[in-house]
């Protein structure tokens, strides 16, 4: 138990967070994370999961996992460089490369780990990274870990990117210069300006790196944001996760054969952490096959997203700049946002409030994550509740 000093320090820190309303109490879900969820025996319409296509809970995906567990066991045994690659990992990576239309792919234990592995394997102390200011935490941490000079670019501001790329080149200080961004920004649902990024990257000889965690399975008919803009051959490094639309756990990097070979010898989480479980690899492979062969799933997701966006807009809500199935309802004031969230919850709708520091001060929001499996009745109920609460709180 140590000296109890740490316990006291942490207890005080937790109390401080609680006093400021910044301590996140985590709900326990009784059962699967589907279109509805149960908490304390009460059912909610779920607008919080990244299970966009319902694959986390689909029978054939579950069966693929169970079959692999029976064939390979529950654990991979060791890191792949020591113990060898299980055939199911190789099959998953071949499926990903085909899905992304790249020469090769490599699977990691999570999307977060992909960035921890890849950014430091590609750039180091003598290099620079141009990084969108709203990039995901795992990109920020991967950039810091690399030791490269981090040059923050204004969010989606291509003039700023161009100016900073030019400045970095003209300074002559750096070896490699890389541009990195999310494919879909998860707090606003806006999409990276891939054509402009490619144009600027070509002009200045930048390495391009897109982390499409939220775009894979939702954009480009499921194949992702880079595919949406037909830019597969122009983006050097495509990262994705197996935990959101794919519905399982894990992440991947897709790109040239050389990139993947390099990550197998320099991606530290690949070298020093046990690989994905065989069950997860098999389930993810099955999910990707489903995304490729059942386009109606992605179509249904968009139909649901478009319905909710249209209805919320008509009610007078500010849904920001989203062009994806992420539907933020921007309330602004943090306390009002929390009150709004609680009222949704009282009405059996589960959509999380997101406030500073995750989003800028004064832009508190409730984020609605759509799923293909949400029924018309569920979404009509959501709209009814939004109308009722909006009027009560004088937001609409
Ligand atoms: C852009 C981006 N990268 C990485 C991740 C992390 O993915 P994972 O949950 O697979 O670790 C996320 C998840 O929110 C993300 O949005």
């Amino acid at each position: 138990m140590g000296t109890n000093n740490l316990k006291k320090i942490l207890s005080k820190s937790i109390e401080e967070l609680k006093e400021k309303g910044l301590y996140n109490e985590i709900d326990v879900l009784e059962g699967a994370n589907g279109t509805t969820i149960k908490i304390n025996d009460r059912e909610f319409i779920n607008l919080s999961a990244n299970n966009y296509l319902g694959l986390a809970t689909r029978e054939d995906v579950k069966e693929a996992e169970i079959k692999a567990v029976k064939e390979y066991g529950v654990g991979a045994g060791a890191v792949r460089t020591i113990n060898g690659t299980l055939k199911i990992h190789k099959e998953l990576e071949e499926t990903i490369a085909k899905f992304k239309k790249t020469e090769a792919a490599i699977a990691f234990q999570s999307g977060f780990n992909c960035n921890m592995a890849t950014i430091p394997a590609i750039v180091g102390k003598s290099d620079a990274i141009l990084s969108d200011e709203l990039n995901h935490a795992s990109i920020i941490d991967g950039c810091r870990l690399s030791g490269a000079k981090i040059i923050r670019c204004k969010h989606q501001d291509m003039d700023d990117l161009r100016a900073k790329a030019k400045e970095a080149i003209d300074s002559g200080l750096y070896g490699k210069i890389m541009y990195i961004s999310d494919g879909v920004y998860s707090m606003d649902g806006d999409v990276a300006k891939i054509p402009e990024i490619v144009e600027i990257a070509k002009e200045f000889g930048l390495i391009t790196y897109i982390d499409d965690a939220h775009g894979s399975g939702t954009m480009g008919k499921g194949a992702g944001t880079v595919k949406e803009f037909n830019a597969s051959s122009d983006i050097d490094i495509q990262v994705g996760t197996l935990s959101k639309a794919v519905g399982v756990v894990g992440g991947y990097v897709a790109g040239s054969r050389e990139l993947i070979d390099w990550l197998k010898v320099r991606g530290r989480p690949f070298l020093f952490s046990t690989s994905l479980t065989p069950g997860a690899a098999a389930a993810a492979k099955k999910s990707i096959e489903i995304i490729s062969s059942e386009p109606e799933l992605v179509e249904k997701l968009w139909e649901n997203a478009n319905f909710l966006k249209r209805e919320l807009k008509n009610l007078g809500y500010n849904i920001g700049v989203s062009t994806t199935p992420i539907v933020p309802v921007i309330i602004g004031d943090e306390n009002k946002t929390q009150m709004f969230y609680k009222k949704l919850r009282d009405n059996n709708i589960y959509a999380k409030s997101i406030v500073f520091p995750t989003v800028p001060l004064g832009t508190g929001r409730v984020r609605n994550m759509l799923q293909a499996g949400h029924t018309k009745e569920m979404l009509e109920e959501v709209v009814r509740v939004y109308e009722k609460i909006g009027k009560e709180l004088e937001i609409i």
Side-chain angles (χ1 to χ4, degrees):
M1 282 291 281
T3 60
N4 266 343
N5 274 350
L6 178 63
K7 197 173 153 72
K8 277 187 208 140
I9 294 166
L10 295 181
S11 166
K12 188 165 169 277
S13 302
I14 289 169
E15 270 323 302
E16 280 168 12
L17 285 182
K18 283 185 178 166
E19 275 161 27
K20 289 182 196 152
L22 294 175
Y23 187 78
N24 190 11
E25 300 282 356
I26 300 173
D27 292 309
V28 177
L29 307 188
E30 292 142 13
N33 203 342
T35 50
T36 59
I37 48 172
K38 220 182 227 180
I39 300 168
N40 290 333
D41 226 12
R42 220 173 101 199
E43 190 166 280
F44 296 82
I45 297 173
N46 185 14
L47 289 169
S48 274
N50 300 319
N51 182 17
Y52 290 107
L53 304 175
L55 296 171
T57 44
R58 217 171 108 144
E59 283 311 313
D60 45 1
V61 179
K62 288 192 223 169
E63 276 160 22
E65 169 132 4
I66 292 164
K67 187 166 168 283
V69 169
K70 289 194 171 147
E71 190 177 343
Y72 295 98
V74 292
V79 296
R80 288 162 63 180
T81 44
I82 290 174
N83 196 46
T85 284
L86 295 180
K87 197 157 163 260
I88 191 66
H89 289 132
K90 191 164 178 292
E91 287 171 8
L92 169 65
E93 289 167 348
E94 285 165 0
T95 305
I96 294 167
K98 201 167 142 212
F99 179 59
K100 289 279 157 186
K101 298 207 171 12
T102 55
E103 285 174 13
I106 179 173
F108 286 92
Q109 304 86 345
S110 71
F112 204 106
N113 260 359
C114 288
N115 290 324
M116 293 297 116
T118 310
I119 304 169
I122 299 299
V123 289
K125 286 193 174 63
S126 56
D127 303 316
I129 306 172
L130 296 154
S131 175
D132 188 284
E133 64 186 343
L134 294 191
N135 276 342
H136 186 258
S138 58
I139 298 181
I140 295 170
D141 288 3
C143 290
R144 286 179 183 152
L145 194 61
S146 74
K149 167 77 181 170
I150 300 166
I151 304 168
R152 273 162 58 105
C153 298
K154 285 187 197 147
H155 180 54
Q156 297 262 46
D157 183 334
M158 294 297 116
D159 291 336
D160 192 51
L161 171 59
R162 187 182 292 279
K164 286 182 175 152
K166 185 169 184 320
E167 202 180 314
I169 296 275
D170 290 349
S171 74
L173 288 172
Y174 310 111
K176 298 189 272 310
I177 305 177
M178 179 164 86
Y179 176 71
I180 188 163
S181 82
D182 285 29
V184 169
Y185 291 89
S186 60
M187 294 303 147
D188 288 291
D190 53 330
V191 175
K193 297 174 179 169
I194 303 282
E196 288 96 322
I197 291 167
V198 168
E199 192 191 306
I200 295 169
K202 283 187 176 162
E203 189 179 334
F204 294 101
L206 309 178
I207 298 168
T208 45
Y209 185 128
I210 299 292
D211 177 352
D212 205 21
H214 281 274
S216 291
T218 64
M219 302 291 292
K221 297 192 166 53
T225 307
V226 172
K227 177 72 194 350
E228 174 105 12
F229 294 100
N230 282 322
S232 301
S233 57
D234 292 318
I235 299 297
D236 295 301
I237 303 164
Q238 292 190 57
V239 169
T241 173
L242 299 170
S243 67
K244 300 189 193 300
V246 175
V248 193
V249 73
Y252 59 85
V253 182
S256 67
R257 166 64 51 202
E258 290 76 5
L259 169 69
I260 304 312
D261 287 348
W262 181 247
L263 292 177
K264 283 183 182 165
V265 293
R266 283 292 181 275
R268 288 171 71 82
F270 183 86
L271 297 169
F272 300 111
S273 179
T274 301
S275 57
L276 272 186
T277 65
K285 174 176 173 283
K286 180 70 185 171
S287 284
I288 293 170
E289 287 163 358
I290 292 170
I291 297 171
S292 305
S293 63
E294 295 183 26
E296 60 275 17
L297 272 181
V298 180
E299 283 162 20
K300 187 71 201 334
L301 169 69
W302 278 90
E303 200 181 295
N304 282 346
N306 290 337
F307 172 81
L308 189 65
K309 278 185 193 167
R310 191 175 60 240
E311 294 296 317
L312 293 180
K313 233 177 178 169
N314 284 345
L315 286 176
Y317 279 106
N318 174 7
I319 62 161
V321 293
S322 172
T323 52
T324 63
I326 297 171
V327 185
V329 167
I330 300 164
I331 310 287
D333 178 78
E334 283 70 29
N335 287 328
K336 209 164 191 178
T337 305
Q338 298 298 15
M339 208 187 304
F340 193 92
Y341 155 73
K342 286 197 185 87
K343 280 190 177 276
L344 281 176
R345 203 177 156 125
D346 291 344
N347 284 275
N348 302 326
I349 311 270
Y350 196 78
K352 273 284 175 167
S353 54
I354 298 172
V355 293
F356 181 78
T358 310
V359 292
L361 213 54
T363 70
R365 66 203 57 197
V366 170
R367 191 177 62 154
N368 302 280
M369 307 297 283
L370 273 298
Q371 294 185 36
H374 283 128
T375 62
K376 190 94 196 290
E377 291 70 38
M378 286 177 194
L379 297 182
E380 279 168 355
E381 173 61 9
V382 171
V383 173
R384 189 190 68 75
V385 171
Y386 262 98
E387 181 168 13
K388 188 177 97 169
I389 298 176
K391 284 180 178 157
E392 273 171 30
L393 293 179
E394 295 177 352
I395 290 169
I396 54 168

